Amino acid sequence: MKLPYSWLREMVDGLPAPAEAAAILTMRGFEIEEWSSPGAAIQDILVAKILDLKPHPNADKLTLCDVTDGSRNYSIVCGASNMKAGDCVALAQIGTVLPGNFKLEKRKIRGIYSEGMLCSTRELELGDDHAGIMILPPDAPLGQRLVDFLGLNDTVFEINVTPNRPDALCALGIARDVIARFEHGEADVVTLFYNRFQSVISQIPTAQQVVPAVFEGAEVTASYDYEPGEEAILADLLPRNVATQV
């Protein structure tokens, strides 16, 4: 299961840096198979806007783009045709190293220098589309790093959740265990978790609602004794003992 560090940080107060968070997850029995940063290879890509377009004088299929990042303008030769003046785009400046270890250098394209590159999603390894350049929302802030605008400046954990922990196959389930270990030891974690996420938990269907046919005419019993008030809370969270019996 993939879990962004930023999601976990929103649910766990004072969560430490990704490396220490990974150690906590491992101690809770969640093996971290790997972690990665989806925006690591495109840290220097900026949000920019196309001010003007005009045909390349020496090539029918190329366009000269006047582009700004809010602080300076660039003259860029582009081979795409899906953009127009006013579009916000992903700009790679001269000297930027793109995915694949490709360093962008200032060079002439059909006799005219290009001062950067307008990137497609495939060139940034954000998708497979290479039919044109990446067009961003019109309110994208000029000069901001693309990874910050897209929320890609994050760490993503690849977590191996064992078959006996179906309750941990979601961000809330993982957060519950981290809260137990990191914030409050093992003290009253069910109540702590329920109080913090009551509005979210109230929308989670019970096991009977998810698979009514399984429970029709069947008697489901707990495999251990609950403290007063815990049984209803755990039922809302689709606890592991019920899921195992199903």
Side-chain angles (χ1 to χ4, degrees):
M1 181 181 79
K2 291 186 177 181
L3 176 64
Y5 169 79
S6 60
W7 290 16
L8 198 58
R9 186 177 56 197
E10 289 178 5
M11 294 182 281
V12 182
D13 293 338
L15 186 70
E20 189 174 346
I24 292 173
L25 289 169
T26 300
M27 286 189 291
R28 297 302 298 172
F30 303 119
E31 179 188 357
I32 306 296
E33 295 183 339
E34 66 175 354
W35 72 72
S36 59
S37 299
I42 56 172
Q43 291 287 317
D44 296 326
I45 306 299
L46 301 179
V47 174
K49 176 181 285 188
I50 298 175
L51 300 176
D52 190 27
L53 301 172
K54 56 185 178 182
H56 193 295
N58 303 321
D60 294 338
K61 295 184 178 181
L62 296 178
T63 303
L64 298 181
C65 304
D66 184 16
V67 177
T68 181
D69 64 5
S71 59
R72 60 161 292 191
N73 289 5
Y74 305 81
S75 178
I76 296 177
V77 179
C78 184
S81 59
N82 66 317
M83 65 285 190
K84 64 183 183 301
D87 281 345
C88 288
V89 293
L91 168 67
Q93 300 169 291
I94 299 300
T96 298
V97 178
L98 294 170
N101 201 32
F102 171 69
K103 185 175 182 179
L104 196 61
E105 298 178 352
K106 185 176 180 178
R107 62 188 182 91
K108 283 186 177 181
I109 301 177
R110 291 295 184 93
I112 295 181
Y113 280 108
S114 182
E115 298 177 327
M117 175 179 173
L118 304 184
C119 305
S120 69
T121 56
R122 192 169 77 180
E123 288 163 340
L124 299 178
E125 296 185 350
L126 297 178
D128 297 324
D129 187 7
H130 196 56
I133 62 173
M134 185 178 188
I135 305 297
L136 302 174
D139 59 347
L142 299 185
Q144 186 177 39
R145 295 193 309 165
L146 184 66
V147 291
D148 295 328
F149 175 68
L150 297 180
L152 296 176
N153 197 23
D154 199 357
T155 297
V156 178
F157 297 120
E158 182 78 34
I159 303 174
N160 180 16
V161 180
T162 54
N164 67 321
R165 294 299 309 273
D167 59 305
L169 288 172
C170 64
L172 283 173
I174 296 290
R176 182 185 62 180
D177 267 54
V178 175
I179 289 170
R181 171 64 179 84
F182 177 65
E183 291 189 25
H184 303 282
E186 301 293 342
D188 204 15
V189 63
V190 174
T191 302
L192 286 165
F193 185 81
Y194 184 76
N195 289 341
R196 179 172 300 181
F197 302 109
Q198 186 173 5
S199 61
V200 176
I201 292 170
S202 64
Q203 302 176 40
I204 301 176
T206 63
Q208 287 90 339
Q209 291 172 321
V210 174
V211 282
V214 174
F215 289 91
E216 185 176 355
E219 181 180 353
V220 180
T221 58
S223 59
Y224 57 93
D225 294 330
Y226 297 103
E227 294 295 327
E230 285 187 353
E231 184 170 358
I233 295 173
L234 292 172
D236 282 341
L237 294 175
L238 302 180
R240 74 190 76 166
N241 68 297
V242 173
T244 302
Q245 291 179 44
V246 172

